[in-house]
Amino acid sequence: MADIRDEAASAFEDVFGYTPNGIWSAPGRVNLIGEHTDYNDGFVLPFAIDRRTVVAVGTRDASVARVGSSYADELVEIPLADLNPEHLTGWSAYPLGVAWALAQFGADLAAVPGLDIFVVSDVPVGAGLSSSHALECAVALALNDLWQLGLDRQTLARVSQITENQVVGAPTGIMDQSASLLSEKDCALFLDCRSLDYRIIPLGLEAADLAVLIIDTGVKHEHANGGYAERRASCELGAKLMGVSSLRDLTAHDLPRAREVLDDVTFRRVRHVITENQRVLDTVAALESDGPRAIGELLDASHRSMRDDFEISVRELDLAVETAIENGAIGARMTGGGFGGSALALVAREDVSRIQVAIDGAFAEHALGIPDTFVVVPSKGAARDR
Ligand code: GLA
């Protein structure tokens, strides 16, 4: 970690020729359980991971914003007056979109000084670990400090969501940015996506000798188009036909009526959300009463529901999950929006390498690309580092 902070600070000086005002960072996330429930006003249980995006940020007397990063050669430069969705494209739409979104919460873009940002990250891009939110949250925290906006972290999560929805064009919910901003070390974030009330739930992985293994399938996903928006539309249709403002308002008792009122596909989408919300509540209860070894079946059931009812898994994710379970994982499921990205497996520490080898073998046997497997540690959320 010290390395990428140093790297960001020195790259900033090289590129912009002065010392940054400060260094901020925000983590990627893994969702333990509660998938496609956030935009249905439901419950989620993600945690921040030990991979972070660091931003070195400086202000100066100028009328432009400039952004550089270690992952793109170009230096993007744009007049402050053009910081709006019409002018922001490509990767710089994430950090600079945040500046625009902050204007909706009191920032006066006509009065702010010139802005320079340099980004360095070790959150893998396209793996379903929310690299884009890590970048947005790091910038949101930095600008909140530098522009003295005094916004709380739930509001900064909204800022990141507005950036995603209105600048990037992805109709995503509030989970990822909340995890990046609100998480604490060794804990998960139990978030009610309707009220944004949350509770920090200790995971106790170390005491139980467990680890969370991520299997990045390498199958790329894009939430700005296709399946994600389609699933969201199905959920909205289901809620409308069931006469509720969101699926959060339905429980298992409503399933018989849903079966009568809805077409088969919409019914299965709705059933996933209803049962997934319940699984989040059950996971929290199990963690609190019996610890992390008690949540395996809930993780497995969540995966089956996403595979069969919500239909957002892909062959590689199913294979990763099945192989992990066959080789002794306590539980496993795909994590994130689906259609690619990563799966997680909750495994005994002593089994980590064996399960990694088994997964590599299974992918090779099915002539699928080589997955990237690594352990993640539940970590603290976004912070000012210097
Ligand atoms: C993506 C979105 C989140 C959430 C998940 C699915 O990660 O960014 O808002 O909807 O998919 O749970």
Side-chain angles (χ1 to χ4, degrees), residues 10-59:
S10 69
F12 183 100
E13 297 214 26
D14 288 351
V15 172
F16 299 119
Y18 66 101
T19 307
N21 299 38
I23 308 279
W24 291 259
S25 68
R29 68 92 190 91
V30 157
N31 189 17
L32 189 58
I33 196 161
E35 222 65 85
H36 287 260
T37 45
D38 62 350
Y39 56 79
N40 288 302
D41 279 353
F43 304 110
V44 292
L45 192 64
F47 61 83
I49 59 173
D50 51 332
R51 303 270 189 129
R52 296 177 84 87
T53 295
V54 176
V55 295
V57 185
T59 57

Side-chain angles (χ1 to χ4, degrees), residues 29 31 34-39 130 133 172-176 223 228 336-337:
R29 68 92 190 91
N31 189 17
E35 222 65 85
H36 287 260
T37 45
D38 62 350
Y39 56 79
S130 291
H133 299 96
T172 46
I174 192 88
M175 168 172 71
D176 305 331
H223 295 328
Y228 185 96

Side-chain angles (χ1 to χ4, degrees), residues 17-275:
Y18 66 101
T19 307
N21 299 38
I23 308 279
W24 291 259
S25 68
R29 68 92 190 91
V30 157
N31 189 17
L32 189 58
I33 196 161
E35 222 65 85
H36 287 260
T37 45
D38 62 350
Y39 56 79
N40 288 302
D41 279 353
F43 304 110
V44 292
L45 192 64
F47 61 83
I49 59 173
D50 51 332
R51 303 270 189 129
R52 296 177 84 87
T53 295
V54 176
V55 295
V57 185
T59 57
R60 67 195 178 108
D61 189 14
S63 57
V64 293
R66 298 181 294 182
V67 202
S69 78
S70 57
Y71 47 74
D73 278 342
E74 53 166 359
L75 183 69
V76 176
E77 181 164 337
I78 182 169
L80 290 173
D82 286 349
L83 286 183
N84 55 55
E86 292 76 63
H87 290 95
L88 295 172
T89 53
W91 71 271
S92 67
Y94 296 93
L96 295 178
V98 166
W100 171 79
L102 280 167
Q104 301 184 30
F105 294 89
D108 180 0
L109 293 184
V112 297
L115 178 66
D116 294 323
I117 303 174
F118 198 90
V119 184
V120 177
S121 179
D122 64 9
V123 185
V125 174
L129 302 179
S130 291
S131 58
S132 67
H133 299 96
L135 174 53
E136 289 162 8
C137 291
V139 172
L141 199 65
L143 296 184
N144 187 45
D145 281 356
L146 291 173
W147 294 351
Q148 300 182 341
L149 298 173
L151 302 173
D152 64 21
R153 289 185 177 225
Q154 277 113 320
T155 307
L156 295 180
R158 286 276 184 230
V159 166
S160 161
Q161 188 186 17
I162 289 170
T163 306
E164 289 279 324
N165 294 171
Q166 297 182 32
V167 184
V168 178
T172 46
I174 192 88
M175 168 172 71
D176 305 331
Q177 41 285 85
S178 301
S180 184
L181 286 160
L182 298 169
S183 289
E184 287 180 21
K185 194 169 178 290
D186 300 329
C187 295
L189 176 79
F190 173 36
L191 178 71
D192 177 336
C193 298
R194 172 170 275 171
S195 64
L196 296 192
D197 289 343
Y198 66 92
R199 256 192 320 127
I200 298 295
I201 309 292
L203 284 168
L205 296 181
E206 209 173 308
D209 260 327
L210 296 180
V212 174
L213 181 67
I214 297 300
I215 305 109
D216 175 6
T217 61
V219 180
K220 298 294 171 212
H221 64 101
E222 267 290 348
H223 295 328
N225 47 37
Y228 185 96
E230 206 181 286
R231 294 304 180 281
R232 187 168 179 154
S234 286
C235 292
E236 282 160 10
L237 174 67
K240 188 165 162 235
L241 294 173
M242 289 295 286
V244 290
S245 67
S246 73
L247 295 183
R248 156 70 177 276
D249 297 316
L250 301 178
T251 68
H253 296 295
D254 297 296
L255 285 172
R257 186 165 65 88
R259 170 73 87 188
E260 278 172 25
V261 171
L262 306 174
D263 66 85
D264 179 59
V265 170
T266 312
F267 170 72
R268 287 185 293 111
R269 305 296 187 250
V270 168
R271 181 166 61 186
H272 165 72
V273 175
I274 290 177
T275 57

